[in-house]
Amino acid sequence: MFPCESKFLGCYLHACPCGFYGSRDQRECTCTPQQIQKYRSKLSGPLLDRIDLHLEVPRVPVTLLQERPQAESSEEIRCRVEAARAIQCERYRHRPGAPQ
């Protein structure tokens, strides 16, 4: 609906088939080097060459996820979304096909 001038390609891949290679958890990787190589070869070189940013994201402990603070209510979120939408509608009001 609103113009966007960037593209995002998201890709999630474990380091190995069991998912524990290089993890800081107490579990240990049980994969052989051959299994890891075969698993990583699923993404081709030409595809990887087009990805500009590679991030390694560590596993988040479950306890950290369960101890979240109280989230916003749906009403509060709806108000913020409506305000942001109004700003965008005003910003792009002169473009053809922009929402009214």
Side-chain angles (χ1 to χ4, degrees):
M1 185 174 282
F2 296 109
C4 178
E5 297 179 14
S6 65
K7 292 185 181 182
F8 173 74
L9 169 66
C11 179
Y12 175 78
L13 185 67
H14 286 290
C16 68
C18 75
F20 293 106
Y21 179 79
S23 71
R24 295 176 185 92
D25 290 344
Q26 307 201 357
R27 297 192 61 183
E28 204 170 299
C29 177
T30 57
C31 303
T32 65
Q34 293 82 15
Q35 288 175 313
I36 294 171
Q37 178 62 33
K38 182 180 176 188
Y39 184 76
R40 289 186 176 182
S41 68
K42 288 181 180 180
L43 286 179
S44 68
L47 176 63
L48 288 174
D49 290 344
R50 288 172 173 79
I51 300 174
D52 295 327
L53 183 64
H54 295 255
L55 296 175
E56 188 173 318
V57 181
R59 184 181 310 260
V60 178
V62 175
T63 54
L64 219 106
L65 296 173
Q66 291 173 337
E67 297 173 357
R68 293 184 293 176
Q70 182 63 31
E72 291 179 89
S73 70
S74 295
E75 180 65 26
E76 292 170 321
I77 295 171
R78 185 174 63 74
C79 290
R80 282 193 304 111
V81 169
E82 286 175 351
R85 184 170 169 75
I87 291 168
Q88 289 294 83
C89 286
E90 177 64 25
R91 179 178 292 150
Y92 294 107
R93 71 180 182 277
H94 299 297
R95 289 202 177 183
Q100 300 298 322

